[in-house]
Amino acid sequence: NRLSMIRQGQGLAMRGARAMTAKSSSGKATWDGPRPAGYPTHVKTIASLKKEQIESVLDMAQDLKASPKKYMDALKQKTLLMLFEKPSLRTRVSLETGMHQLGGQGMFYSLADSPLGKKETIQDTGKVVSRFVDAVSMRVNSRLAVEEMTANSTVPVINALDDYGHPCQMLADLLTIIEHKGSLSGLKMAFVGDCQNNMTYDLMRTASVMGFHLTVGGPKSSDFEVEGGVIQECEALCKQPGGGAFRITHDLQDAIKDVDIVYCDSWMSYGVAAEERTERLKALLPFQVTEKAMELTKPDSLFMNCLPAMRGEEQTAAVIDGPKSVVFDQAENRLHAQKALLVSLINGFGWRPAVHNE
């Protein structure tokens, strides 16, 4: 019996050694099915997507908005991890609702009480969560966090807002413009106000990639001007076939004269200290969008703001609540555009439901 026990122990040890040297069967790709070509695509800015990919997302967004039941199982049993460092209303609600409507699940994770970036590195987190979930969205303070996550994640990562871009808002805005204008062809847009922010940068990229014209207007000050790196990036994008154009001015009337769309964003973002308000208001007030300013635009022009908005600051109440305003269409279209983006990233660009459930 003693000899038998020894031999049995030796056999277990040998099997254990073989198990330690054998190739691991772990890794989400080994048990979660095949991936579409080019997988994963990470969306750090709107320029992370090619023009044809953006057009594909917008085409799906229009279809699923018109026929949502066709897509009710598009992401069945799929999970989106939503990382939030910054406050949110539209982003969280639209992403969670969208995943539910697609048959999947959106999982909110607050970084306020998280070890991410402190006890646990973003690099390790990216590698770990890639084995649990099907996509990751991040609403964070710094572009560096998005860069680190995309460098270490093997599932798609979506920048849901950082200090460098807001691609989800861009897709919603493009969908809104197409609904109201029919197309982007020949479009002239003006963004006015604080030009040193994520919205300005991604609007510049959007115009450059999608082939329309954008004028950026804001104070001539190092506190409000576009980063040089973004200007260089957009100059290169404009040189691509079908590229758009942009220019920068420091005069409100020059910026908005005869444009199709006037766009502005909050002057007091979440990161602005209370003691800075007075100086910022003084510098930015010449770029407030008023009814008189809107008279300089085309007769059928639109007013856009990605929200939240402060009446009496970046625009007057008469403008944002007036007949040219489409701000709540923009807000709604966050839901439809993000649903289309998630389906495209997880299932592949050009994917469409094989079976209609309507």
Side-chain angles (χ1 to χ4, degrees), residues 233-299:
E233 177 189 2
C234 291
E235 287 175 341
L237 290 170
C238 287
K239 293 177 182 177
Q240 299 298 315
F246 71 91
R247 68 183 183 96
I248 298 173
T249 181
H250 304 292
D251 180 81
L252 174 65
Q253 293 186 14
D254 178 43
I256 66 176
K257 178 69 174 174
D258 294 326
V259 299
D260 299 288
I261 297 171
V262 177
Y263 202 125
C264 61
D265 186 19
S266 173
W267 292 347
M268 306 296 165
S269 64
Y270 292 115
V272 174
E275 55 269 22
E276 295 180 37
R277 280 186 56 86
T278 301
E279 289 301 313
R280 287 182 65 85
L281 284 171
K282 182 179 178 181
L284 290 165
L285 198 58
F287 294 88
Q288 184 184 67
V289 180
T290 63
E291 284 184 293
K292 185 176 181 180
M294 290 298 294
E295 291 175 1
L296 297 172
T297 66
K298 290 183 179 178

Side-chain angles (χ1 to χ4, degrees), residues 14 22 26 30 44 47 50 107 118 127 166 173 193 226 232 237 270 287 294 299 330:
M14 290 177 65
S26 296
T30 66
K44 295 185 285 187
K50 299 175 183 177
M107 182 186 300
K118 303 181 184 91
K127 293 172 182 176
H166 200 352
D173 291 343
V226 179
Q232 294 175 5
L237 290 170
Y270 292 115
F287 294 88
M294 290 298 294
Q330 291 176 261

Side-chain angles (χ1 to χ4, degrees), residues 144-156:
L144 297 178
V146 175
E147 288 284 353
E148 289 188 48
M149 183 64 77
T150 57
N152 291 277
S153 174
T154 56
V155 298

Side-chain angles (χ1 to χ4, degrees), residues 2 44 80 87 93 103 174 184 203 237 244 284:
R2 180 180 176 83
K44 295 185 285 187
L80 170 69
V93 175
L174 289 172
L184 304 176
L203 281 170
L237 290 170
L284 290 165

Side-chain angles (χ1 to χ4, degrees), residues 3-13 15:
L3 182 59
S4 176
M5 291 176 63
I6 292 173
R7 288 173 176 170
Q8 186 178 10
Q10 290 173 336
L12 289 171
R15 288 196 294 274

Side-chain angles (χ1 to χ4, degrees), residues 311-331:
R311 290 158 177 81
E313 292 189 7
E314 67 268 19
Q315 73 284 293
T316 60
V319 170
I320 194 170
D321 297 321
K324 290 179 177 286
S325 176
V326 294
V327 299
F328 298 111
D329 291 346
Q330 291 176 261

Side-chain angles (χ1 to χ4, degrees), residues 189-246:
M189 176 189 287
F191 177 90
V192 294
D194 179 6
C195 301
Q196 195 176 101
N197 67 23
N198 48 18
M199 283 300 302
T200 315
Y201 300 165
D202 249 6
L203 281 170
M204 289 175 64
R205 296 183 185 108
T206 302
S208 301
V209 171
M210 300 306 293
F212 62 89
H213 189 280
L214 174 70
T215 299
V216 174
K220 188 175 179 59
S221 164
S222 59
D223 292 330
F224 300 105
E225 292 182 330
V226 179
E227 292 181 30
V230 176
I231 294 175
Q232 294 175 5
E233 177 189 2
C234 291
E235 287 175 341
L237 290 170
C238 287
K239 293 177 182 177
Q240 299 298 315
F246 71 91

